Amino acid sequence: MSQPKPENLKRLNWPLMENNIDRQDLDTLVEYLQQDDPRLTAGSQVQQFEEQWSKWLGTRYSVFVNSGSSANLLSMSVLRETLGTGEVIVPPLTWVSDIGSVLHCGFKPIFADIDPKTLGMSTDAILDSISSETKAVFLTHILGYNALTPKLLKELKQKNILLIEDVCESHGATFNNQKLGSFGWMSNFSFYYAHHMSTIEGGMVSTNDPHTYEMLRMYRSHGMVREAKFESTRSRYKEMHDDLNPNFIFAYPGYNMRSSELNAVLGQAQLKKLDTNNKTRTENLKLFLDNLNPDLYRTDFITEGSSNYALTLVIRNPDFAYAKKVENLLNDLGVEYRRGTSGGGNQLRQPYLRKILGNEAHQDFPETEHIHFFGFYIGNYPNLPKEKIIRLTRALNSLSA
């Protein structure tokens, strides 16, 4: 018997991404460039953006860098400088740079499976992975969902284990009415093209700890002490190393992760619209989940406080034939998607980790394995027509298992 055709098969022409930078943002940038002698390298605009971001997020300090991946690497470098190497608990479902930064800085990644209702690491899986060598938990908030729990925060505090939050896909999401990224020792954000807001390329590291803030600033710019914010820090190094030119004292083997004034100007313009845009993104997610058939797809995600980055489509039961039907439907409708959601699914299946952990390690994470084969994400942005969302859910629901 032939498969009945889903309704509304007229193409939706739904791209995965749309540019967040609009004409108003570009006009702001043009106006800045039309000054008599606009500064282009990092300066006062970067500082203003950092201060505005900290105020919006609810942290004391922020350091603007050239990408979210740089934010990851910067954070792991400061962790290594602070505590030495050891183990860092990481998710198997995340972007490659999270795990890459752990490896680059000499830590051993310890993986904890995900909670299917948040796509972030399960609290119990994290706590079961803690050992005497654990230096930090590097927690990714996936696609706008919150992965924090009261139990996790309490246990990490009692065990004196640092929390680092990756919020690159979850700008503005909250836990207990407090923004994600303001709970951890450090937090990372990305301002890539398709994220909640964009600086073309860019990222941020935020913290409440002044010493960590100083290290981040120095590491960002070659490890130079002159990049320290506080005069007391610069004076201390100058007194300790009076044989060195104070303009060229390198406290750490740092990087060049600086961004520019132009990126910061865009960031300030984008930040003004972030909360409004996030509200629309969240409405889109609710409409999508509310109209999916829960017998066919997972709709029971914990959405309280979420700030959706991309619509989450997860087939309820592990069925490869049905997953193929879903992929064919999305292709027929012109709906761009990514299978495996964040980062392409289970990172332990990737060549760079197979070389380290072998070819079978991915099997130890069944929840992530389900997302790898039966999870998809679809573009979500403020100007996405609601009518397209309804048409897509109807077509998905009309597929028979």
Side-chain angles (χ1 to χ4, degrees):
M1 188 178 229
S2 62
Q3 172 73 28
K5 282 198 175 280
E7 61 179 84
N8 299 325
L9 262 183
K10 183 179 178 183
R11 286 179 68 84
L12 294 171
N13 299 319
W14 184 332
L16 190 70
M17 306 174 183
E18 282 202 357
N19 193 355
N20 285 328
I21 298 172
D22 59 22
R23 183 70 254 173
Q24 185 178 14
D25 298 324
L26 295 175
D27 288 343
T28 300
L29 189 56
V30 169
E31 183 180 351
Y32 178 78
L33 288 169
Q34 286 177 333
Q35 297 179 82
D36 289 339
D37 186 21
R39 176 169 175 149
L40 302 181
T41 57
S44 62
Q45 294 297 322
V46 167
Q47 182 176 334
Q48 288 176 36
F49 181 38
E50 291 170 340
E51 291 170 353
Q52 291 173 18
W53 180 262
S54 294
K55 182 178 180 181
W56 174 84
L57 181 62
T59 57
R60 294 178 66 187
Y61 310 108
S62 294
V63 176
F64 186 38
V65 293
N66 53 16
S67 72
S69 298
S70 290
N72 299 154
L73 184 55
L74 199 60
S75 297
M76 287 300 111
S77 298
V78 170
L79 174 64
R80 178 185 58 196
E81 193 70 38
T82 303
L83 295 182
T85 55
E87 296 176 354
V88 176
I89 298 173
V90 294
L93 185 69
T94 189
W95 188 250
V96 59
S97 61
D98 282 8
I99 301 166
S101 65
V102 169
L103 294 170
H104 285 311
C105 289
F107 293 101
K108 180 180 179 180
I110 303 296
F111 293 89
D113 207 358
I114 63 170
D115 180 337
K117 292 188 177 183
T118 68
L119 302 183
M121 284 189 289
S122 156
T123 290
D124 288 340
I126 291 172
L127 297 178
D128 289 344
S129 301
I130 291 174
S131 76
S132 60
E133 295 299 312
T134 303
K135 302 298 183 182
V137 172
F138 197 2
L139 182 75
T140 304
H141 300 291
I142 299 285
L143 296 179
Y145 296 111
N146 161 58
L148 292 173
T149 65
K151 180 180 179 181
L152 177 63
L153 292 172
K154 179 182 177 181
E155 291 289 329
L156 293 184
K157 184 176 181 180
Q158 288 180 346
K159 297 176 185 296
N160 199 30
I161 293 174
L162 295 172
L163 171 66
I164 301 172
E165 297 177 80
D166 183 316
V167 204
C168 292
E169 296 179 348
S170 300
H171 306 47
T174 61
F175 173 58
N176 288 345
N177 296 315
Q178 180 179 331
K179 285 190 177 74
L180 302 182
S182 62
F183 290 88
W185 174 49
M186 286 185 283
S187 61
N188 299 167
F189 292 83
S190 169
F191 304 131
Y192 175 62
Y193 170 79
H195 287 168
H196 294 69
M197 58 170 278
S198 177
T199 59
I200 306 175
E201 296 284 356
M204 195 77 81
V205 185
S206 296
T207 184
N208 284 313
D209 181 66
H211 179 65
T212 300
Y213 173 56
E214 287 285 68
M215 292 174 69
L216 289 166
R217 286 183 59 89
M218 287 186 275
Y219 256 106
R220 174 179 62 178
S221 187
H222 305 288
M224 288 192 294
V225 171
R226 76 184 191 207
E227 293 292 321
K229 182 70 171 179
F230 308 124
E231 177 58 36
S232 58
T233 303
R234 298 191 294 271
S235 296
R236 184 174 75 254
Y237 275 96
K238 183 179 178 181
E239 292 170 4
M240 291 170 58
H241 303 281
D242 59 3
D243 60 321
L244 297 176
N245 181 336
N247 288 320
F248 294 99
I249 300 175
F250 299 93
Y252 307 110
Y255 314 98
N256 179 8
M257 294 178 172
R258 292 170 298 198
S259 193
S260 74
E261 293 287 84
L262 304 184
N263 299 92
V265 168
L266 282 175
Q268 291 173 73
Q270 287 264 296
L271 184 55
K272 294 174 182 176
K273 300 177 289 188
L274 180 56
D275 290 335
T276 299
N277 286 345
N278 282 350
K279 183 179 178 182
T280 304
R281 286 173 173 270
T282 300
E283 291 170 354
N284 290 346
L285 175 66
K286 186 177 188 303
L287 185 66
F288 182 72
L289 295 178
D290 285 351
N291 283 277
L292 280 178
N293 183 346
D295 294 329
L296 297 175
Y297 308 99
R298 291 182 180 176
T299 61
D300 56 346
F301 296 100
I302 299 174
T303 58
E304 183 178 358
S306 67
S307 173
N308 188 252
Y309 163 55
L311 302 178
T312 319
L313 178 65
V314 180
I315 298 168
R316 179 161 293 283
N317 299 313
D319 184 332
F320 285 99
Y322 189 75
K324 187 61 178 177
K325 291 179 185 178
V326 170
E327 290 197 54
N328 289 339
L329 174 66
L330 295 173
N331 290 331
D332 289 343
L333 291 174
V335 178
E336 193 175 359
Y337 62 90
R338 294 291 183 267
R339 201 202 81 198
T341 71
S342 294
N346 193 342
Q347 287 291 313
L348 285 93
R349 286 181 170 272
Q350 295 291 346
Y352 77 97
L353 283 178
R354 286 180 183 263
K355 292 176 185 176
I356 300 170
L357 302 174
N359 291 323
E360 309 299 327
H362 60 270
Q363 298 177 2
D364 295 334
F365 307 94
E367 297 294 351
T368 303
E369 281 287 277
H370 184 90
I371 299 299
H372 184 89
F373 291 107
F374 309 111
F376 305 82
Y377 78 67
I378 297 165
N380 181 16
Y381 20 85
N383 60 347
L384 177 64
K386 301 290 193 291
E387 178 263 343
K388 284 190 177 183
I389 297 174
I390 295 298
R391 284 179 57 196
L392 176 59
T393 56
R394 286 175 178 168
L396 287 165
N397 292 341
S398 69
L399 288 175
S400 61

